[in-house]
Amino acid sequence: MPRRQMHMTGADGTALRAALRELRTELGVPAHFPAAVLAEAEHAAAHPRLPDLDSTDIPLFTIDPPSSVDLDQAMHLAKRSAGGYRVHYAIADVAAFVAPGGPIDAEAHRRVSTLYFPDERVPLHPPVLSQDAASLLPDRTRPALLWRFDLDPDGRVETADVRRALVRSRAKLDYDGVQKAIDTGTAEEPLALLADIGRLREALEQERGGISLNVPEQEVVDRDGSYSLAYRAPLPADGWNAQISLMTGMAAADLMLATGTGVLRTLPSAPDGAVGRLRRAAKALRIDWPHHVPYAELVRSLDPHRPAHAAFLQECTALLRGAGYTVFTGGETPDPAIHSAVAAPYAHCTAPLRRLADRYAGELCVAAVAGAEPPRWAVAALDALPREMAEGARLANTVERESVDLVEAAVLKDRVGETFEATVIDVHDHEPLVGTVHLEEPAVVGRIESATLALPLGDRIRVRLTEAAPGSAKILFAPV
């Protein structure tokens, strides 16, 4: 599901980087891996537990941002002679390198997930594993959990299978290059089919009532030595790639539900008032939302390249709050079992290099397909997973929120006293003098406080920046 990530491109950012280092210290984010963890990782990288099945003949490829080296997934897409499609989807086999109860395992349970700061990432596993030995880098033979899906001509899953195998990616692709190759008709069939299968899966998502948010990312850009913020709107290829991952997560959930042991990613329906708040934001941003139009239909109609739509999509992420993990054992029926945004049972299983729970889901799925009892170490860890992942999510959300504040303050620190065109996108129910404004340039969403007059929800107004100091204050606006 989407996160509000930011990327720093070329900026010097001395003061900002110092503030981000201070933030990591304040939050207790580990700066280094313990020596015992690094030693075990070096040994594991040289001596992984390798599977017997050799599937290195499948010409897999990865799709990731250009700078990424922690590559969790690789795929190959083909047409079936009888009609429909075959999808091979390889997931990095982290368990081939991590001994249950060992130093790496213990550290992973302490970290829970990779943390993303604008200037660097703090990995879940030591880089010798996450960026090298366990990563599905091109032209390297790697152990993986290899999923195989047979789809009918409409993109529905007919059969799903997963087992351990040796794999070898042939190419590391990026989203811009993939989109260009598909748009110009120069993509070879395995890549060109990503658009065909992705669109079919998007249609099935709409049919079952699911929704994917194409949330723009905030990007920090260096312009002549000063900071600027911009939105990077996702490409269609981002969504098609995500549909392959969603399909795998749904299949993993079905496998675990069938065996009665597993861990699901769940999300309850939106709480009362949440959609109403979004309707207020839509009105404020001049987005036409007739009452007879469902939320999911509106979201699909938005263009993330348009600033007002981009701001609204950011507001839509509020409906994803409340997501968690539900574990079940002994054949019990989990409650809840549905992820409301996916509109189906769903499991996190495609990013084990960056997220702890995925390793356990993968193990349980492999055992389910093999008709074997799930590993005791995996079952024993399930009860603690929801709490651990919740704590990790709280830290990740704090990192995201505080990083946004720091970057926005850094971008605007030399512009205190200046005025900007803004739209009032929210006003507090019980504090009409306090609300939120959206600036189109730079791409900032910030707090506004009025001294005397109630804020005009939905109006474009001029605002003055009153506070912006990285590391000491969040940005604050006041109406002119």
Side-chain angles (χ1 to χ4, degrees):
M1 306 309 292
R3 292 197 61 78
R4 192 184 180 190
Q5 295 183 13
M6 295 176 298
H7 305 283
M8 187 176 294
T9 55
D12 173 25
T14 302
L16 175 59
R17 292 179 192 277
L20 290 167
R21 285 195 297 271
E22 292 177 8
L23 174 61
R24 286 190 281 273
T25 300
E26 292 172 7
L27 297 178
V29 174
H32 306 286
F33 284 93
V37 175
L38 294 175
E40 186 186 33
E42 291 285 350
H43 183 269
H47 304 91
R49 295 182 292 280
L50 300 179
D52 295 328
L53 178 62
D54 188 335
S55 296
T56 54
D57 59 318
I58 301 173
L60 302 166
F61 57 87
T62 61
I63 306 176
D64 290 277
S67 61
S68 295
V69 288
D70 50 346
L71 310 183
D72 287 288
Q73 315 105 12
M75 72 178 74
H76 181 264
L77 314 174
K79 292 181 178 178
R80 296 164 60 196
S81 58
Y85 308 90
R86 174 162 289 176
V87 176
H88 282 100
Y89 199 47
I91 307 300
D93 186 3
V94 175
F97 300 89
V98 178
I104 301 174
D105 188 33
E107 183 69 9
H109 278 268
R110 185 167 75 94
R111 295 184 177 227
V112 181
S113 67
T114 295
L115 296 175
Y116 295 91
F117 291 83
D119 58 336
E120 68 176 52
R121 66 182 60 187
V122 180
L124 173 61
H125 301 100
V128 69
L129 298 180
S130 60
Q131 300 178 20
D132 190 1
S135 178
L136 302 183
L137 297 166
D139 302 318
R140 313 279 181 88
T141 298
R142 295 289 187 256
L145 305 185
L146 183 60
W147 288 83
R148 188 184 72 183
F149 299 96
D150 282 343
L151 312 182
D152 70 11
D154 294 325
R156 289 184 171 84
V157 175
E158 292 184 338
T159 62
D161 177 272
V162 61
R163 59 192 65 200
R164 283 192 155 83
L166 290 174
V167 301
R168 191 174 181 86
S169 173
R170 300 296 197 274
K172 180 180 183 291
L173 309 179
D174 63 78
Y175 291 103
D176 288 341
V178 167
Q179 191 68 57
K180 182 178 179 180
I182 291 175
D183 288 346
T184 59
T186 58
E188 297 182 1
E189 181 175 277
L191 180 58
L193 288 176
L194 179 65
D196 297 339
I197 296 172
R199 292 187 182 110
L200 290 171
R201 295 298 305 179
E202 286 173 342
L204 292 172
E205 178 181 72
Q206 183 173 355
E207 180 182 294
R208 68 175 185 269
I211 182 65
S212 294
L213 291 178
N214 294 319
V215 182
E217 295 181 343
Q218 270 187 317
E219 190 170 44
V220 186
V221 183
D222 180 19
R223 293 177 178 167
D224 299 325
S226 64
Y227 295 116
S228 181
L229 280 168
Y231 285 123
R232 184 248 176 202
L235 299 166
D238 294 64
W240 301 332
N241 187 51
Q243 287 296 328
I244 304 297
S245 178
L246 283 168
M247 178 178 69
T248 307
M250 292 165 64
D254 289 343
L255 281 173
M256 290 186 286
L257 287 168
T259 60
T261 300
V263 52
L264 302 180
R265 180 64 167 170
T266 55
L267 176 67
S269 299
D272 292 341
V275 174
R277 182 182 181 279
L278 283 181
R279 284 194 172 276
R280 290 169 55 196
K283 179 182 178 182
L285 292 165
R286 303 293 194 271
I287 294 172
D288 184 27
W289 187 357
H291 279 280
H292 69 276
V293 174
Y295 160 73
E297 184 177 334
L298 171 74
V299 168
R300 291 189 184 93
S301 72
L302 299 180
D303 179 0
H305 293 86
R306 297 175 59 180
H309 290 194
F312 182 75
L313 286 167
Q314 291 283 8
E315 293 296 308
C316 287
T317 60
L319 295 191
L320 302 178
R321 294 169 188 163
Y325 292 85
T326 301
V327 301
F328 54 100
T329 57
E332 64 183 17
T333 300
D335 183 24
I338 300 295
H339 192 291
S340 62
V342 180
Y346 172 68
H348 274 164
C349 66
T350 63
L353 290 174
R354 293 169 284 163
R355 198 167 47 208
L356 176 65
D358 298 46
R359 171 158 53 104
Y360 291 90
E363 286 298 311
L364 297 175
C365 288
V366 169
V369 168
E373 289 293 319
R376 291 183 179 179
W377 62 265
V379 176
L382 289 182
D383 284 345
L385 268 183
R387 174 185 54 79
E388 291 173 326
M389 297 304 296
E391 291 173 355
R394 280 192 289 272
L395 177 58
N397 290 336
T398 300
V399 165
E400 178 181 310
R401 184 178 64 253
E402 295 295 331
S403 294
V404 168
D405 290 341
L406 285 172
V407 171
E408 290 182 338
V411 168
L412 297 171
K413 68 181 180 64
D414 296 325
R415 303 181 69 176
V416 172
E418 289 189 27
T419 59
F420 303 85
E421 291 288 339
T423 301
V424 181
I425 63 172
D426 191 34
V427 176
H428 291 194
D429 290 334
H430 304 295
E431 293 181 273
L433 304 183
V434 179
T436 304
V437 289
H438 168 242
L439 280 62
E440 294 186 7
E441 177 57 42
V444 167
V445 177
R447 180 181 174 92
I448 183 170
E449 295 182 2
S450 173
T452 56
L453 298 177
L455 294 170
L457 179 64
D459 284 1
R460 288 183 62 82
I461 62 173
R462 291 195 64 78
V463 298
R464 177 176 290 107
L465 179 65
T466 59
E467 293 182 23
S472 63
K474 302 180 184 347
I475 60 170
L476 181 64
F477 296 94
V480 175

